[in-house]
Amino acid sequence: MLVPHEKAVAAAIEALENANVPSDHARLQVDLLVEADLRGRASHGLMRLPRIVERIGNGVTDPNTTGCIEWRGNVAFVDGQMGMGPIIACNAIDQLMQRVETAGVAVAAIRNSNHLGMLAWYAERVARQGKVLLAMCTSEALVHPWGGRHAMLGTNPLAIGVPAGKTPFVLDMATSLVSMGQIHDYALRNAPIPPSWALDAEGNATTDARLAKAGSIAPFGEAKGYALGIALEVLITALTASAVGRNVVGTLDSTQACNKGDVFIVIDPIAQPGVTESIERYLDDVRASGLVEKPVAVPGDRALATRAKRQRDGLELAEDVWARLQSLANQQPSNQSA
Amino acid sequence: MLVPHEKAVAAAIEALENANVPSDHARLQVDLLVEADLRGRASHGLMRLPRIVERIGNGVTDPNTTGCIEWRGNVAFVDGQMGMGPIIACNAIDQLMQRVETAGVAVAAIRNSNHLGMLAWYAERVARQGKVLLAMCTSEALVHPWGGRHAMLGTNPLAIGVPAGKTPFVLDMATSLVSMGQIHDYALRNAPIPPSWALDAEGNATTDARLAKAGSIAPFGEAKGYALGIALEVLITALTASAVGRNVVGTLDSTQACNKGDVFIVIDPIAQPGVTESIERYLDDVRASGLVEKPVAVPGDRALATRAKRQRDGLELAEDVWARLQSLANQQPSNQSA
């Protein structure tokens, strides 16, 4: 169903405020979730809000903290103190943005923080302010190694934001071939999945989505995509001293403290005249390098087209998502000690 | 043919010294080339040496310079002054290594430098000293965008090195599905290439390697691999103010000044007790996550196995590569002004 943008935002903020989330934290978290729905990334959108509320209720998310930063040089080692992912991350990034004015480059290595949501949101935020961002995080093991039979890696996404004239360049990709959410969609519809997507719990290839749910999903790009995914797993673990592989918990449930890691690298790019323009021109040349009737997409193009459409027409929310959101918005605020 | 390791090294150093390369620069360049041959990466090995010599002779590589660094905070903007790729890069990395002792993170953005060679060599070098390295560079456009019909991206490799106990973790991957060198091999043998590998000059899929040579090669991992490749292209261009896309020259010829960009990010990882060990254990768990008779490979495993074998048995060099190397080693040193 279509829900007007502003109406969805208001309900979501109210839902979080009812769960004792401070107003400014609620606004930031909702901006991120709604931005995902605007861009057609429902899996990272408002459907995630009930779990955030549940995690606060269960005491595994602290809605108030902005995290505790310990600097070593220009590397911020951040204890997220079980805070909300975007709150901890934005606080860290804001400090990196200040640092790079003189230091040129700064890094945040975050642990004990909750789900970050759509990384494109952070990349665009930083790139719009003229800086470059590399963002990456680990997550619960859902992906099997290339040639492996069991989930050993998170879907470990990577985002890169670069100032590029009017519209920043934004890459945001998981290192899995598909998402576990897609597998669940197929299972719900009782539809077979393509044979390359997943393994069952015994490590055998399967086209049965219900068996795949208990198994593992494939890395994208075969051996190379797996290699990138495991490199991110190892890199993030080394920098954040967070959990690794099958020890990562708290990104898919409502009861366990989240122990994955997040890394942000902010760099102040050289302000050479003409560079931004040459990147802009290059991206347009790439768009024009296909068939006339089928332009090539640059990362972010489809998301921004969907965004423009949904800002006009409203957010496309599943009926149960919107119903649950309204119910959370209309609840009595929970007791502060809940 | 098999050439003893030390014999190949000696001949290669002599060949470079004959081309007026200072002795220490020759040793570093040869160490890198031979390391590629040891690891079974012939395309980045001693077969590249004659072109290095030709480029020096043609005045588009300066064997003496170590580059000129201008610091902005902890970002080194490096003018490579047409120097040898590994000489410029190692000088920059050495300075980053010093910086990170207090700064925690430092970046080098290099332009006007020559071919870097195998990035794994740099990643391992840094990781062995306890630091994390991200290394990336652009190169001449050989790769078509996903859905595009012409080469618009370099093979843009990415390397990540992380300390991980006895053996550092090293990722080193191009963002193309195959290398143009592989296409040339097929063309020489008059063998058809798989249909997904390349397009001809008109942008149509082809299995004819000779037509593919004049066309473009596919990105790895379909849309996602293309997205990563173009992200690196844009990121590196923004940081180095180097050439982008089809304007990049000098990585495949002997006559044009090289105008691609290189980026190195060095980070001092948190020295938390147990982290390195947990990464080591994780990698062993991944290796054991396949079938008993077929262990899973972690990035770098195959290269190191090949390395051990070749260090024992000798380098596997093509006959013409070894003949050319010996001829360059036995030449009269060229006139300093040549």
Side-chain angles (χ1 to χ4, degrees):
Chain A
M1 60 182 297
L2 289 178
V3 179
H5 179 199
E6 289 311 319
K7 202 169 159 187
V9 168
I13 290 176
E14 228 164 323
L16 288 179
E17 285 177 348
N18 286 345
N20 297 323
V21 178
S23 187
D24 51 340
H25 292 187
R27 270 164 216 287
L28 200 73
Q29 174 74 68
V30 168
D31 186 60
L32 168 67
L33 295 172
V34 167
E35 193 61 37
D37 278 314
L38 279 172
R39 291 172 190 227
R41 297 272 304 276
S43 62
H44 286 64
L46 288 169
M47 68 170 282
R48 284 194 181 257
L49 191 137
R51 180 168 299 149
I52 295 171
V53 170
E54 281 165 31
R55 291 183 62 84
I56 293 169
N58 290 336
V60 288
T61 295
D62 173 354
N64 296 296
T65 183
T66 55
C68 174
I69 297 183
E70 182 200 322
W71 289 96
R72 191 185 306 171
N74 298 303
V75 178
F77 294 109
V78 183
D79 178 353
Q81 300 177 318
M82 299 203 299
M84 296 166 73
I87 306 306
I88 305 302
C90 285
N91 180 44
I93 290 172
D94 287 350
Q95 306 226 18
L96 299 187
M97 294 296 280
Q98 286 176 30
R99 285 273 168 149
V100 298
E101 291 300 333
T102 50
V105 56
V107 171
I110 305 176
R111 56 192 162 143
N112 299 329
S113 177
N114 278 287
H115 198 273
L116 286 180
M118 180 180 68
L119 293 188
W121 184 78
Y122 303 92
E124 187 168 312
R125 201 178 158 92
V126 169
R128 282 209 183 278
Q129 294 172 73
K131 312 300 182 209
V132 159
L133 177 73
L134 287 93
M136 52 200 91
C137 54
T138 49
S139 55
E140 235 147 303
L142 290 175
V143 177
H144 64 77
W146 188 244
R149 293 161 63 80
H150 305 289
M152 295 294 295
L153 299 88
T155 54
N156 301 357
L158 170 69
I160 295 178
V162 182
K166 287 181 294 293
T167 312
F169 173 91
V170 174
L171 167 82
D172 178 3
M173 54 179 266
T175 51
S176 55
L177 182 61
V178 292
S179 70
M180 195 46 104
Q182 284 173 278
I183 305 281
H184 282 253
D185 282 350
Y186 276 72
L188 271 176
R189 290 186 285 113
N190 227 339
I193 54 172
S196 60
W197 279 20
L199 307 178
D200 65 20
E202 277 70 50
N204 301 308
T206 184
T207 57
D208 186 332
R210 289 158 309 179
L211 296 179
K213 277 167 63 176
S216 56
I217 49 180
F220 91 102
E222 307 191 340
K224 283 194 180 187
Y226 149 62
L228 178 63
I230 196 170
L232 295 177
E233 184 99 23
V234 167
L235 173 69
I236 294 163
T237 302
L239 294 180
T240 63
S242 55
V244 66
R246 297 176 75 91
N247 294 327
V248 178
V249 295
T251 64
L252 298 170
D253 62 74
S254 299
T255 55
Q256 298 179 86
C258 188
N259 61 0
K260 48 84 188 172
D262 313 314
V263 170
F264 294 98
I265 304 173
V266 176
I267 309 175
D268 194 359
I270 194 169
Q272 289 274 16
V275 171
T276 312
E277 293 76 6
S278 88
I279 292 174
E280 221 175 353
R281 211 162 38 236
Y282 167 66
L283 295 175
D284 280 338
D285 288 348
V286 169
R287 290 185 180 100
S289 71
L291 293 170
V292 177
E293 63 273 24
K294 203 174 169 237
V296 171
V298 159
D301 282 358
R302 287 200 196 93
L304 293 185
T306 305
R307 187 183 200 285
K309 188 175 178 314
R310 296 207 173 162
Q311 231 172 0
R312 203 176 51 228
D313 302 344
L315 298 186
E316 223 171 280
L317 297 181
E319 279 186 37
D320 60 327
V321 169
W322 179 231
R324 185 96 174 84
L325 194 57
Q326 282 180 299
S327 136
L328 288 170
N330 295 327
Q331 259 170 31
Q332 287 300 316
S334 66
N335 189 295
Q336 193 69 32
S337 65
Chain B
M1 58 181 298
L2 288 178
V3 178
H5 179 198
E6 289 312 319
K7 202 169 159 187
V9 168
I13 289 175
E14 227 164 323
L16 288 179
E17 285 176 349
N18 287 346
N20 297 322
V21 178
S23 187
D24 52 339
H25 291 187
R27 271 164 216 286
L28 200 74
Q29 175 73 67
V30 168
D31 187 60
L32 168 67
L33 295 172
V34 167
E35 193 61 38
D37 278 315
L38 279 171
R39 292 173 190 226
R41 297 272 303 276
S43 62
H44 287 63
L46 288 169
M47 69 171 281
R48 284 194 182 258
L49 191 137
R51 178 167 301 149
I52 295 172
V53 169
E54 282 164 31
R55 289 184 62 84
I56 294 170
N58 291 335
V60 289
T61 295
D62 173 355
N64 296 296
T65 182
T66 56
C68 173
I69 297 183
E70 182 200 322
W71 289 95
R72 191 184 306 171
N74 298 303
V75 179
F77 293 109
V78 183
D79 177 354
Q81 301 178 318
M82 299 202 298
M84 296 166 74
I87 306 307
I88 305 301
C90 285
N91 180 45
I93 290 172
D94 287 350
Q95 306 226 18
L96 300 187
M97 294 296 280
Q98 286 176 31
R99 284 273 168 148
V100 298
E101 291 301 333
T102 50
V105 57
V107 171
I110 305 177
R111 57 192 162 142
N112 299 330
S113 177
N114 278 287
H115 198 272
L116 286 179
M118 180 179 68
L119 293 187
W121 185 78
Y122 303 91
E124 187 168 313
R125 200 178 159 92
V126 169
R128 282 210 183 277
Q129 295 173 72
K131 313 300 181 208
V132 160
L133 178 72
L134 287 94
M136 53 199 91
C137 55
T138 50
S139 55
E140 234 147 304
L142 290 176
V143 177
H144 63 78
W146 187 244
R149 294 160 62 81
H150 304 288
M152 295 294 296
L153 297 89
T155 54
N156 302 358
L158 170 70
I160 294 178
V162 182
K166 286 181 295 294
T167 312
F169 174 91
V170 173
L171 167 83
D172 178 3
M173 55 179 264
T175 50
S176 54
L177 182 62
V178 292
S179 70
M180 194 46 103
Q182 284 173 278
I183 305 281
H184 282 253
D185 282 350
Y186 276 72
L188 271 175
R189 290 186 285 112
N190 226 340
I193 54 171
S196 60
W197 279 20
L199 308 178
D200 65 19
E202 277 70 50
N204 300 309
T206 183
T207 58
D208 186 332
R210 289 158 309 178
L211 296 180
K213 276 167 64 178
S216 57
I217 49 180
F220 91 102
E222 306 190 341
K224 283 194 181 188
Y226 149 62
L228 178 63
I230 195 170
L232 295 177
E233 184 99 24
V234 166
L235 173 69
I236 294 163
T237 302
L239 294 180
T240 63
S242 54
V244 65
R246 298 176 75 91
N247 294 328
V248 179
V249 295
T251 65
L252 298 170
D253 62 75
S254 299
T255 55
Q256 298 179 86
C258 188
N259 61 0
K260 49 85 190 173
D262 312 315
V263 170
F264 294 99
I265 304 173
V266 176
I267 308 174
D268 194 359
I270 194 168
Q272 290 273 14
V275 172
T276 311
E277 292 76 6
S278 88
I279 292 174
E280 222 175 351
R281 212 161 39 238
Y282 167 66
L283 294 175
D284 280 338
D285 289 347
V286 169
R287 289 184 180 99
S289 71
L291 293 169
V292 177
E293 63 272 23
K294 202 173 170 236
V296 171
V298 159
D301 282 359
R302 287 200 195 94
L304 292 185
T306 305
R307 188 183 199 285
K309 190 176 178 310
R310 297 208 171 163
Q311 230 170 2
R312 202 176 53 229
D313 303 343
L315 297 187
E316 225 171 279
L317 297 181
E319 278 185 39
D320 59 328
V321 168
W322 179 231
R324 184 97 174 85
L325 194 56
Q326 282 179 300
S327 136
L328 288 170
N330 295 328
Q331 259 169 30
Q332 287 301 315
S334 65
N335 190 295
Q336 193 68 32
S337 65

